[in-house]
Amino acid sequence: MLDRRLLRDNPEILRQALANRGYQFDLDALIALDEERRSCIERAQALRERRNALSEEVGRIIREGGDPEPTKAEVAKLKADLDLLEEKERELEAEFERRWAEVPNVPKPEVPIGAGPEDNVIIHERGEKRAFDFEPQPHWEIATRLGIIEWDRAARMSAARFVVNLGPGAALERALINFMLDTHTRKHGYIEVFPPFLACRRSMFGCGMLPKFEEDMFKTAEGLYLIPTGEVPLTNMHQDEILKAEDLPRCYTTYTACFRAEAGAAGQESRGLIRLHQFHKVELMKFTTPDQADAELEKLTANAEAILDALGLPYRRVLLCTGDLGFSSCRTYDLEAWMPGMGKWLEVSSCSQFGDFQARRVNTRYRTEPKAKPIFVHTMNGSGLACGRTLAAILENYQNADGTVTIPEVLRPYMGGEAVIYPPSVRD
């Protein structure tokens, strides 16, 4: 959520930001609503002052032996008028809050202006694409042939867009999770968190998932939401707290299952492990001061890249343009792994900076010194990495002509020393 003063003092900044994002929003109606709300507040305050003055007048009249009834009647009328005005004020405030929550974050100046993915900017590309002496297969064909991922059985258990990992497939995803967590905690200095996978409405609102993405969420009968990402619990780690400046940045990492009800894109991206209702992810999260934020986003993104480097996967870093930027983000880097079987780049991490947009929603602040006025922290997060997509990238980049898949060296200690995933006939 943005600072309200921006609407009053610099509405043109908001207007330009909305235009750059290609975001349809009636800003003039919001400005008019805010003006009506503030006018209502001013009129209510004037009525309170008049009522208080007349109440004192009643006392004076009584002391002087006069008739206070006409003045009392006027006080009663003022109270009735004030009650109506205060009710109107509450309605206007609620409506303003609802609409204000629909305004996306303002992109940072360095974010390129553009309409969509075609206008994103490639920052760098690392790792060499493997030269295959055979036609590389997409990961869903590899996984099916190896018998390590089941789609039909998962659909019978649950529904379409769920998967079951079997044997080496389950071990490989678990190895990825453990390797990522070990790297981020032992080498990068993050504190590991194992949070609830259900969140209340306020927590979902806090990180910007609600109200905009309500239809994409799974919701329980009790009103809790299955988290769509570990960002939700981590962003709310310090809800309604005031931190100390010397304790910032605070860096957290978590593994969670993630649940999304989105229909997904048609075609190739709807196949395999790319767009599921349930997937798994290791998340990185930082709470910083405003001065620390830019540098810490670079570190966080580099921490995610370190996983791709260690796995030996070719990848690129992409700076998203305004039209491709997420609702809460003011700057985002995507990390995309090369998928030789799919013949395309695939996002495996999105590292985003939010300024104080989320902190205002969750009310997380810090003090520069004990008696100083609290200031909103800045937040950022990124996937470190998305496990299923990274597993898919491993299958495609490490596939062999004989149908086997080589296990990246850094994962072998997590898989009992195994170096290759063989077809079922060999494993049996």
Side-chain angles (χ1 to χ4, degrees), residues 155-414:
R156 291 197 295 272
M157 292 177 190
S158 300
R161 294 190 183 275
F162 288 89
V163 299
V164 170
N165 289 35
L166 295 172
L172 182 57
E173 185 149 5
R174 179 161 50 88
L176 278 169
I177 293 166
N178 288 332
F179 169 66
M180 292 175 190
L181 289 174
D182 285 350
T183 301
H184 295 315
T185 55
R186 298 173 185 176
K187 293 185 177 181
H188 300 154
Y190 290 80
I191 299 170
E192 185 176 353
V193 178
F194 194 55
F197 290 1
L198 292 168
C200 65
R201 187 173 185 85
R202 185 189 172 191
S203 292
M204 295 289 284
F205 174 84
C207 56
M209 300 296 170
L210 296 179
K212 182 174 175 57
F213 303 106
E214 178 99 34
E215 293 183 357
D216 289 336
M217 305 302 159
F218 288 109
K219 186 178 181 181
T220 71
E222 293 75 20
L224 294 174
Y225 295 83
L226 278 70
I227 60 170
T229 165
E231 172 188 347
V232 175
L234 292 187
T235 301
N236 287 275
M237 277 287 290
H238 298 290
Q239 189 182 106
D240 293 327
E241 293 182 25
I242 299 176
L243 308 175
K244 297 177 181 178
E246 57 265 32
D247 293 336
L248 299 175
R250 289 203 178 188
C251 307
Y252 297 106
T253 185
T254 185
Y255 152 75
T256 66
C258 305
F259 305 89
R260 297 184 186 178
E262 61 188 353
Q268 197 174 43
E269 281 205 0
S270 68
R271 300 189 67 180
L273 299 171
I274 307 309
R275 205 171 283 275
L276 300 172
H277 288 317
Q278 177 187 321
F279 58 97
H280 305 96
K281 190 151 63 82
V282 170
E283 192 77 9
L284 305 174
M285 173 78 196
K286 292 189 179 186
F287 296 86
T288 76
T289 68
D291 291 342
Q292 297 168 335
D294 287 350
E296 290 299 327
L297 177 67
E298 298 299 324
K299 291 179 184 177
L300 183 147
T301 308
N303 295 155
E305 287 180 332
I307 302 296
L308 290 164
D309 289 329
L311 292 171
L313 294 173
Y315 69 93
R316 65 185 187 181
R317 183 195 292 200
V318 179
L319 177 61
L320 300 194
C321 71
T322 52
D324 205 24
L325 206 59
F327 176 81
S328 300
S329 175
C330 60
R331 181 169 58 149
T332 295
Y333 293 121
D334 273 3
L335 301 182
E336 299 176 341
W338 173 244
M339 304 292 286
M342 296 176 70
K344 64 186 294 183
W345 295 95
L346 177 70
E347 177 205 327
V348 294
S349 175
S350 190
C351 302
S352 297
Q353 186 175 358
F354 304 103
D356 63 6
F357 189 87
Q358 291 179 327
R360 289 179 179 277
R361 289 175 170 237
V362 299
N363 193 30
T364 302
R365 298 172 291 169
Y366 75 99
R367 282 194 175 99
T368 55
E369 52 188 45
K371 294 185 179 180
K373 182 180 178 181
I375 303 168
F376 286 106
V377 300
H378 280 208
T379 63
M380 64 194 66
N381 67 59
S383 305
L385 305 162
C387 303
R389 291 186 173 206
T390 305
L391 188 152
I394 289 171
L395 294 180
E396 294 199 11
N397 283 277
Y398 282 90
Q399 61 183 296
N400 301 311
D402 63 359
T404 64
V405 170
T406 301
I407 298 170
E409 190 170 347
V410 293
L411 298 181
R412 294 174 191 175
Y414 296 91

Side-chain angles (χ1 to χ4, degrees), residues 38-88:
R38 285 188 287 150
S39 173
C40 189
I41 291 171
E42 291 170 1
R43 285 184 286 132
Q45 182 59 30
L47 285 182
R48 290 188 196 96
E49 292 173 358
R50 175 62 178 162
R51 181 195 59 188
N52 293 341
L54 286 177
S55 294
E56 292 180 2
E57 181 70 8
V58 168
R60 184 191 64 77
I61 291 171
I62 291 174
R63 287 194 299 274
E64 293 178 357
D67 181 8
E69 294 309 315
T71 307
K72 284 184 177 181
E74 188 174 353
V75 169
K77 183 178 184 307
L78 282 172
K79 182 180 182 306
D81 291 344
L82 183 59
D83 287 344
L84 291 174
L85 202 54
E86 287 177 338
E87 177 61 28
K88 180 66 173 177

